[in-house]
Amino acid sequence: MKEKISKTEAKEKIKEFFDKIKSKSPKEVLKIKKLSMKNRIPLGINKKLFCSDCFEPYLGNEKIRITKGFKTVTCEKCGKVKKIKL
Ligand SMILES: [Zn+2]
């Protein structure tokens, strides 16, 4: 059995994780996402920092286009296009 962590601890863990997201693997991103869902902690703006499909962290070299109030980011790995409202 895994030990249960409190919501505050989970929040702290998530915050620390996103501070260093660029050095993380998709597997770790998925783990943190699950942790946030389990503890009902919204990822908010941090959701923009990784691909929602393959969970690859965005490193800053993906294609970014800005059109009509939307920013679209194309994932380098799986090609998934993410639309972010500006
Ligand atoms: Zn992707």
Side-chain angles (χ1 to χ4, degrees):
M1 269 294 275
K2 256 193 213 169
E3 60 176 303
K4 225 181 150 195
I5 61 167
S6 74
K7 192 168 176 174
T8 322
E9 278 173 309
K11 257 187 185 164
E12 200 54 40
K13 241 184 157 170
I14 290 167
K15 195 183 161 284
E16 267 171 39
F17 180 85
F18 281 106
D19 280 345
K20 296 177 207 132
I21 179 118
K22 289 188 182 185
S23 60
K24 305 292 183 188
S25 71
K27 235 183 186 168
E28 288 171 296
V29 174
L30 187 60
K31 226 165 103 186
I32 278 297
K33 208 187 163 196
K34 276 187 183 157
L35 179 76
S36 82
M37 286 193 300
K38 222 164 92 192
N39 291 280
R40 291 169 212 257
I41 299 164
L43 293 179
I45 159 169
N46 292 324
K47 264 194 255 172
K48 297 178 190 170
L49 299 175
F50 60 89
C51 174
S52 53
D53 227 49
C54 67
F55 303 105
E56 182 80 3
Y58 291 145
L59 298 177
N61 11 339
E62 32 304 300
K63 277 182 232 152
I64 296 173
R65 280 182 56 196
I66 293 174
T67 40
K68 289 180 199 159
F70 282 99
K71 187 165 119 178
T72 57
V73 184
T74 309
C75 175
E76 266 208 313
K77 207 177 170 190
C78 69
K80 165 109 179 167
V81 179
K82 189 186 195 119
K83 231 175 173 185
I84 299 162
K85 207 173 173 202
L86 292 176

